[in-house]
Amino acid sequence: MPREKKIDMVILGLLSHEPLTGYDMKKRIDGAIRFFWNGSFGNIYPSLKELENNGSITRCEVTSDGREKISYKITASGKEELRKWLRDEQASNELKYETLLKLFFGGVEEKNVTYHNIEVFENKIRGDLEMLRTYGKVLEKDLENEDHLHYYLTVSFGIDSYEAYLKWCAKAKKLLNGRAQR
Amino acid sequence: MPREKKIDMVILGLLSHEPLTGYDMKKRIDGAIRFFWNGSFGNIYPSLKELENNGSITRCEVTSDGREKISYKITASGKEELRKWLRDEQASNELKYETLLKLFFGGVEEKNVTYHNIEVFENKIRGDLEMLRTYGKVLEKDLENEDHLHYYLTVSFGIDSYEAYLKWCAKAKKLLNGRAQR
DNA sequence: ATCAGCATGTAAGGCGTTACATGATTCA
DNA sequence: TGAATCATGTAACGCCTTACATGCTGAT
């Protein structure tokens, strides 16, 4: 069983752009990345150590002006590791939607319960979509920038699928209402 | 920290329709449920024991004609547990797409690498979409059936979002091609 | 002065996957 | 006779989340 731990790739990917502290990485992840991947401190810091130990990253700045702060940068071998992962066409794409699970088994409860669950989902999506559109508008302005382009593609993936979700919500609600309310 | 383990709900949900063995549950999950949830034997069997211990399910048939085979059915308290979960509007909806991660950090590699990764994703989705459409067509015929309706709603969620994915793939590929191939 | 945010980390525990172990039956 | 499928389970291990521990800094 080869090492998995994709958080390593997130870290290497972030560092391929700019040096960062673990704390800052968390903030980046909580930005747009969170829509398709997440990380926690208890996840990031141990990984940072391992990546440093095997030479994928190095500390580039340690400001010990009272409060400690460790910035890391990616090494040549770390960059190669990242590239190797990118070139590997294997990718796990996993969706775990509890809302769909509740929908699937919704038959044992009244229809308005399912209806309500869809509405909760809908509201969450609506909020997230708005946020993604804001990101998108900023990025659209400069797609010539390599990084902006890739960033934009992921954001537009989110926008497109969330729009599809909302259309489905409307359809689903109509279908549920069409049948007699039990 | 309250118990999570949603596999319990999958089991209860499946048993709310009909008695099943652990082995059969796995087969059900590998059907359409797999698109938004999954389970393994190492996951199901221990849960079965726990659910039996706290009275949510009971064995209803044990055929020991040489090969052992244990069928379970849901109890009244198990059904209430399932209903309680359905009525709880809290739901974790989590998407982990490595493809998007590779896309996001694709800037460090040649564009055709990203392009290829999108194509791999596209092919996977195309295949799955076809399967979902087949499911959908069967279900559409009898939406008056409570369970069919709920089943159909999840399948159509898959169809709608996968169609959006494919449209996005085409757009993304065009965008990548539009810029000079590095 | 106090509280939010900056900053790094550890520990415990949960959940789930994979691999392994075992054995019967059915079909070619 | 051998392979695939039926059928139940256990063990190891990996990854991640949550909670905890600690202390500094900057703003109100």
Side-chain angles (χ1 to χ4, degrees), chain A residues 88-89 102 116 144 179, chain B residues 88-89 102 116 144 179:
Chain A
D88 178 8
E89 66 178 43
K102 291 192 180 184
H116 179 67
E144 296 304 322
R179 331 270 130 195
Chain B
D88 178 7
E89 65 177 43
K102 289 191 181 184
H116 180 68
E144 296 303 322
R179 331 270 132 195

Side-chain angles (χ1 to χ4, degrees), chain A:
Chain A
M1 252 182 330
R3 180 183 176 81
E4 276 294 310
K5 236 184 191 177
K6 311 272 165 55
I7 188 69
D8 286 3
M9 294 308 138
V10 178
I11 292 173
L12 292 178
L14 287 171
L15 291 183
S16 74
H17 291 290
E18 55 182 332
L20 289 168
T21 65
Y23 190 84
D24 286 331
M25 291 175 200
K26 175 72 162 72
K27 279 201 293 187
R28 292 281 192 292
I29 294 169
D30 288 345
I33 294 177
R34 117 185 97 95
F35 289 102
F36 50 88
W37 214 267
N38 36 26
S40 58
F41 289 128
N43 196 11
I44 294 168
Y45 284 117
S47 236
L48 245 24
K49 255 182 198 165
E50 292 163 38
L51 285 169
E52 195 185 7
N53 284 339
N54 72 19
S56 303
I57 62 175
T58 47
R59 294 168 185 233
C60 66
E61 203 190 338
V62 183
T63 34
S64 286
D65 57 333
R67 142 168 70 180
E68 72 174 338
K69 184 174 166 173
I70 310 164
S71 287
Y72 294 91
K73 67 169 192 280
I74 194 169
T75 65
S77 92
K79 210 156 196 169
E80 184 43 41
E81 205 180 328
L82 178 64
R83 286 217 184 88
K84 196 181 153 196
W85 169 72
L86 284 170
R87 285 190 306 259
D88 178 8
E89 66 178 43
Q90 253 247 289
S92 74
N93 295 312
E94 188 189 335
L95 182 139
K96 287 189 104 177
Y97 275 17
E98 198 177 352
T99 298
L100 291 179
L101 210 51
K102 291 192 180 184
L103 198 57
F104 192 85
F105 296 125
V108 294
E109 257 292 356
E110 320 234 337
K111 282 231 183 68
N112 62 310
V113 172
T114 299
Y115 193 94
H116 179 67
N117 284 334
I118 293 176
E119 276 189 325
V120 171
F121 177 71
E122 197 177 12
N123 287 331
K124 175 73 164 58
I125 294 299
R126 224 193 288 280
D128 284 350
L129 179 55
E130 204 176 323
M131 201 173 309
L132 284 171
R133 282 191 177 133
T134 308
Y135 287 148
K137 263 175 202 141
V138 175
L139 294 165
E140 256 169 6
K141 288 174 191 160
D142 185 18
L143 293 183
E144 296 304 322
N145 179 316
E146 278 290 303
D147 294 329
H148 275 35
L149 175 62
H150 286 84
Y151 196 166
Y152 174 75
L153 285 176
T154 61
V155 169
S156 82
F157 180 93
I159 292 172
D160 292 356
S161 45
Y162 280 17
E163 281 174 351
Y165 288 3
L166 290 184
K167 272 184 207 155
W168 172 86
C169 285
K171 210 171 61 179
K173 281 160 68 178
K174 207 177 282 179
L175 253 174
L176 282 168
N177 261 350
R179 331 270 130 195
Q181 208 79 12
R182 272 206 315 207

Side-chain angles (χ1 to χ4, degrees), chain B residues 16-67:
Chain B
S16 75
H17 291 290
E18 54 183 331
L20 289 169
T21 66
Y23 191 83
D24 287 330
M25 291 177 198
K26 175 73 161 72
K27 281 201 292 188
R28 292 282 192 290
I29 294 170
D30 288 344
I33 294 177
R34 117 186 96 95
F35 289 103
F36 51 88
W37 213 269
N38 36 25
S40 59
F41 289 128
N43 195 13
I44 294 169
Y45 285 117
S47 237
L48 243 24
K49 256 185 197 163
E50 291 163 39
L51 285 169
E52 196 186 5
N53 282 340
N54 72 18
S56 304
I57 63 176
T58 47
R59 296 166 184 232
C60 65
E61 200 190 340
V62 183
T63 35
S64 287
D65 55 335
R67 138 167 73 179

